[in-house]
Every structure is written in structure tokens, then in C-alpha cells.
Amino acid sequence: SWNLANRDNDNIGQEHYDAIRSDSNEERWAFFAYDYPTRTQVQCSGSGSGDIEEFFAHVKDQKGGYGFCRVETGDEESRRAKFFLAAWVPESGPNKLPIMVKGNMSVHKASFKQIFRDFNSEFTFSNEDDLDASGVLATIVKAGGANYMGQQS
């Protein structure tokens, strides 16, 4: 597992970051869920080559943690890879984030961002309704400047 308090095993995150950033790799997302009893360790609970919907389908069933996802924006003329960082802070249900873990998340997120450092947008999700792919994509497109998606002049 990867310890976000002392940065032990940063290489676990680095491998996924490099894969997701690479244009020649299939991996599009990875999620790192807390091992709640340790309060500082995260493990890669999943990664995949699917889209944002696949990423969110995975995240909603996980303990709190952090994810990184690649999405494509633009149209046929100009496809662009965009990346977003997600913090999953479940407020209810079986995976509800314990207060002792929640208290450390801002410090740990800074460690996570030392590895997953280049991204266009950042989100915090606290329940399943927040995991809205079209809303998130719209935010990413807006943040990315020019929007060429099917605009007619």
C-alpha cells in the first residue's frame, strides 16, 4: 500500500500517473481508497481503460480516497486529453469516511498531488449524486478555454 503520510511507496501512484498521462497506454483512470484502520494508507482499488462513467461506477462503491481520470474533449477536428483529480469523501453509507481519516485528507491530498501533479480540474465528491459525468465534463470543458464541441456559427 501507499502511505500518504510519509510518502512510502510513492512509486505505486507514479506508475498509474505515468500510464494515464501516456497517449500510448490504455489506462484512463485509477482510484486509491483508504484503508480506514491505518488512516494513512491507500491502495489502488481499481484502474481501467473505460470512460468517466466507468470511473464513477467504480468510485461510488469505494471507501474514501483519491482518483485521477483522463477524458477526451473537443470534436473530430481537435481532440484533447484533459485530466481531473477527484477526492471521494463519502458522507453516508457503509463506506462513510471516519472523522479521523477526514481530518488528514487535506494533508494527504497534497501528497497525492505531488505525484498526480498535472491536471485541468479538481473535484470533491461526497455522495453518489455528485458523481455526475455530464456535469463534470461540462465543468472541465468550461475550464479548458475554447469550446469547439459542435458549435455552429
Side-chain angles (χ1 to χ4, degrees):
S1 62
W2 179 14
N3 186 324
L4 293 177
N6 65 15
R7 309 278 305 278
D8 256 5
N9 294 320
D10 269 0
N11 59 301
I12 294 171
Q14 189 70 52
E15 284 168 22
H16 286 281
Y17 176 76
D18 293 342
I20 294 166
R21 293 283 313 184
S22 165
D23 291 333
S24 60
N25 194 295
E26 287 291 294
E27 190 172 332
R28 293 285 173 265
W29 61 267
F31 186 77
F32 296 83
Y34 274 103
D35 171 29
Y36 286 164
T38 67
R39 300 183 192 167
T40 58
Q41 313 261 348
V42 293
Q43 287 179 328
C44 184
S45 61
S47 61
S49 56
D51 61 6
I52 186 174
E53 302 275 0
E54 181 184 89
F55 175 59
F56 283 168
H58 175 79
V59 170
K60 73 182 172 60
D61 296 326
Q62 302 307 312
K63 291 180 172 162
Y66 312 94
F68 192 71
C69 183
R70 176 189 186 115
V71 295
E72 301 284 328
T73 64
D75 55 23
E76 284 67 44
E77 317 290 295
S78 81
R79 301 294 290 164
R80 278 190 204 82
K82 302 280 187 187
F83 303 87
F84 73 90
L85 190 138
W88 173 235
V89 189
E91 289 179 346
S92 59
N95 291 323
K96 183 176 194 238
L97 197 72
I99 198 75
M100 297 308 288
V101 174
K102 195 173 189 174
N104 292 324
M105 276 191 91
S106 58
V107 175
H108 295 165
K109 195 200 298 188
S111 297
F112 190 81
K113 286 166 142 175
Q114 292 288 311
I115 302 298
F116 291 87
R117 55 196 174 277
D118 289 321
F119 50 87
N120 304 91
S121 304
E122 181 177 350
F123 301 90
T124 299
F125 305 111
S126 54
N127 61 60
E128 208 175 312
D129 291 343
D130 292 345
L131 301 172
D132 165 26
S134 53
V136 166
L137 285 171
T139 302
I140 291 168
V141 167
K142 208 181 289 178
N147 176 9
Y148 299 111
M149 290 183 67
Q151 283 183 341
Q152 303 295 318
S153 50

